[in-house]
Amino acid sequence: MPTAMVPVRYAAAMAAHAVAAPATGWLYDRFGAQVLVVLPLLSAVVPALAFTDTVGAAVAGALVWGAAVGVFAGIMGAAALVGGALAGVLYDISVPLLIVVVAGIQTAALVPLWVTRAVRSTPVRLCGGA
């Protein structure tokens, strides 16, 4: 694909996102969180399509990626709803408790970051490597 086409491909992906995000919201409202299970499936298809020498497949990969971003937006929206509701309930109960819970959640969020970082910094040994 010529370099000049990269912005066009990105624009197509964002158009797919613009269609997928409201569609995901509509499906979520009707069927619940199970519609979000499609995100890992979409994400798994993207590299197979996007990293190919065929322009049509690469464009399809960009469109699928854009749709996956739309589904991810649905997940973010659901998480924001839950987080906002929890913050509101805790605010009504006790502001210090709200502070402790938010600090605890943020601290817990560091664990996957540390684990991921540790895995990336561990040297990979190939067969017979010393």
Side-chain angles (χ1 to χ4, degrees):
M1 173 177 290
T3 304
M5 289 302 295
V6 171
V8 174
R9 186 171 159 189
Y10 182 76
M14 292 301 95
H17 165 70
V19 171
T24 300
W26 183 84
L27 290 168
Y28 185 90
D29 289 344
R30 273 133 193 91
F31 303 105
Q34 69 260 18
V35 300
L36 302 178
V37 77
V38 75
L39 181 59
L41 302 173
L42 290 173
S43 298
V45 171
V46 170
L49 293 172
F51 299 113
T52 180
D53 293 334
T54 307
V55 173
V59 170
L63 296 175
V64 171
W65 174 75
V69 170
V71 174
F72 181 74
I75 293 170
M76 291 294 294
L81 174 67
V82 170
L86 176 63
V89 168
L90 291 174
Y91 182 84
D92 284 343
I93 295 170
S94 166
V95 172
L97 178 60
L98 170 62
I99 293 168
V100 168
V101 169
V102 169
I105 290 170
Q106 294 303 318
T107 302
L110 291 174
V111 173
L113 177 64
W114 286 329
V115 169
T116 304
R117 192 163 181 207
V119 168
R120 277 198 231 159
S121 64
T122 303
V124 176
R125 295 199 176 162
L126 300 176
C127 295

